[in-house]
């Protein structure tokens, strides 16, 4: 297939995507909704000039099934917390999507400070975007169909933008795309072809260079615990982790990644990465992800109640008699896991800052468990007299071994 054909296929897939809200989008948009609103309320209270939200790949605003897209979620957040003075900046590459989004903004954006929709790529409209958010704390949402903004622009233009205003980036890192890119590395014919070169150049721009070539190859050659070569998915996950490290190091920010899997026993097919400056962002983000998982699970019940296996499913979920039973089971398992992780951490130190060790505390429950499970695990440790009185604020408190 030629590069042009690939482009046509990508365009068609993008249009198809916006005809119906896919399960992955249910997860991402619920997380965005539950993170953006409190983020805007909190930062807006400290910044009288207001805050900003940028959707770099905004789409058409709504799916054909009338479900909300990310621009609608953002405008509703602005209306919900008017004191935040949330400015919404929308950028969309496809003219048809931008035109439809303009209609959505006109119909539903009354009273909201909206810039756009700006037709074009985020790269092309970068100066306009930066001017629109100047002096405001900003949350940048990058959820492209495929690869996102180049690493250099992400770091130099967005995460290190001039001024004292804080910047957070919520990036959907497509792990599936990276393992498809990696397939070109093992084919000399593909690498020599126009399509192969174009694909690798696209990946290099997004990932910040060709460093990932060797990283991917090395990971694929490694032997796992079963004595077999590691999969392309595992190699792509290592590339994703290394990418987050590179971006956070160069931009001098922190990175928190929430993996999303089709099945609980498989590798993630995308990772929601939050690049942030303060540990206080971690627990609200993790908690939003837990609620997103719950909403996806409920949607699964509604749409596939009679089907125990579904190729569109994000997770390998057995259909239980009722939602509450599954909620209770998942929550109880998560509490045990978090409690075990905290016991291990405290065995190596007399105290720990929860914000600093948040990812280690959640471990494999990251993405399915939230503040409720963390609070219960901490309470259990206190009841067992393993720690002193728990802090009132788990997102920034300390645990002290008794």
């Amino acid at each position: 297939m030629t590069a042009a054909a690939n482009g046509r296929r990508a365009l068609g897939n993008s249009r198809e995507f916006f005809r119906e809200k896919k399960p992955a989008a249910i997860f991402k948009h619920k997380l965005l909704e539950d993170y953006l609103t409190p983020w805007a309320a909190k930062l807006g209270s400290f910044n009288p000039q207001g805050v900003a939200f940028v959707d770099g790949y905004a789409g058409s605003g709504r799916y054909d099934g009338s479900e909300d897209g990310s621009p609608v979620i953002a405008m509703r957040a602005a209306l919900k917390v008017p004191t935040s003075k949330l400015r919404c900046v929308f950028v969309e590459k496809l003219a048809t999507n931008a035109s439809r989004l303009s209609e959505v903004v006109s119909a539903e954006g009354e009273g909201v400070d909206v810039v756009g929709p700006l037709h074009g790529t985020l790269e092309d409209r970068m100066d306009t975007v930066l001017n629109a958010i100047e002096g405001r704390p900003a949350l940048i949402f990058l959820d492209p169909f495929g690869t996102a903004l180049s690493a250099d622009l992400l770091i130099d233009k967005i995460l290190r933008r001039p001024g004292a205003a804080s910047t957070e980036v919520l990036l959907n890192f497509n792990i599936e795309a990276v393992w498809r890119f990696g397939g070109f590395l093992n084919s000399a014919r593909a690498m020599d072809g126009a399509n192969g070169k174009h694909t690798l150049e696209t990946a290099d721009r997004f990932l910040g260079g060709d460093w990932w070539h060797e990283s991917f190859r090395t990971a694929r050659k490694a032997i796992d615990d079963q004595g077999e070569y590691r999969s392309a998915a595992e190699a792509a996950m290592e590339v994703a982790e290394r990418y987050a490290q590179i971006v956070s190091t160069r931009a001098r920010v922190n990175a928190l990644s929430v993996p999303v899997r089709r099945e609980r026993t498989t590798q993630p097919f995308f990772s929601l990465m939050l690049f942030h400056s303060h540990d206080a962002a971690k627990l609200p983000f993790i908690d939003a992800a837990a609620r997103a998982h719950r909403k996806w699970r409920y949607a699964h019940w509604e749409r596939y109640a009679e089907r125990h296996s579904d190729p569109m499913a994000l997770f390998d979920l057995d259909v239980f008699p009722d939602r509450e039973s599954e909620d209770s089971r998942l929550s109880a398992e998560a509490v045990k896991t978090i409690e075990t992780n905290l016991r291990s951490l405290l065995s190596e130190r007399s105290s720990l800052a929860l914000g600093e060790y948040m990812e280690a505390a959640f471990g494999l429950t990251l993405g399915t468990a939230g503040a409720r499970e963390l609070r219960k695990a901490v309470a259990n440790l206190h009841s067992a007299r393993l720690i002193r009185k728990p802090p009132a604020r788990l997102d920034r408190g300390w645990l002290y071994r008794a």
Side-chain angles (χ1 to χ4, degrees), residues 121-167:
T121 66
L122 182 55
E123 291 90 338
D124 292 340
R125 306 309 298 263
M126 183 64 71
D127 289 343
T128 302
V129 169
L130 292 176
N131 287 335
I133 66 175
E134 185 176 2
R136 297 170 178 247
L139 176 62
I140 317 295
F141 184 49
L142 303 179
D143 182 24
F145 193 85
T147 57
L149 190 68
S150 74
D152 289 339
L153 285 178
L154 171 63
I155 295 165
D156 298 333
K157 290 290 188 177
I158 293 180
L159 287 170
R160 299 178 66 179
R161 66 186 177 115
S166 67
T167 305

Side-chain angles (χ1 to χ4, degrees), residues 252-299:
R252 299 186 181 92
V253 297
N254 302 314
L256 173 60
S257 299
V258 171
V260 181
R261 298 172 170 85
R262 284 196 174 91
E263 302 174 4
R264 284 173 288 182
T265 57
T266 63
Q267 290 290 324
F269 73 102
F270 68 86
S271 180
L272 292 172
M273 298 180 177
L274 180 70
F275 294 101
H276 62 96
S277 299
H278 304 288
D279 285 341
K282 291 182 179 180
L283 188 56
F285 184 67
I286 292 171
D287 202 42
R291 290 195 293 272
H293 179 278
R294 190 178 303 118
K295 180 173 182 178
W296 174 86
R297 195 163 65 245
Y298 288 1

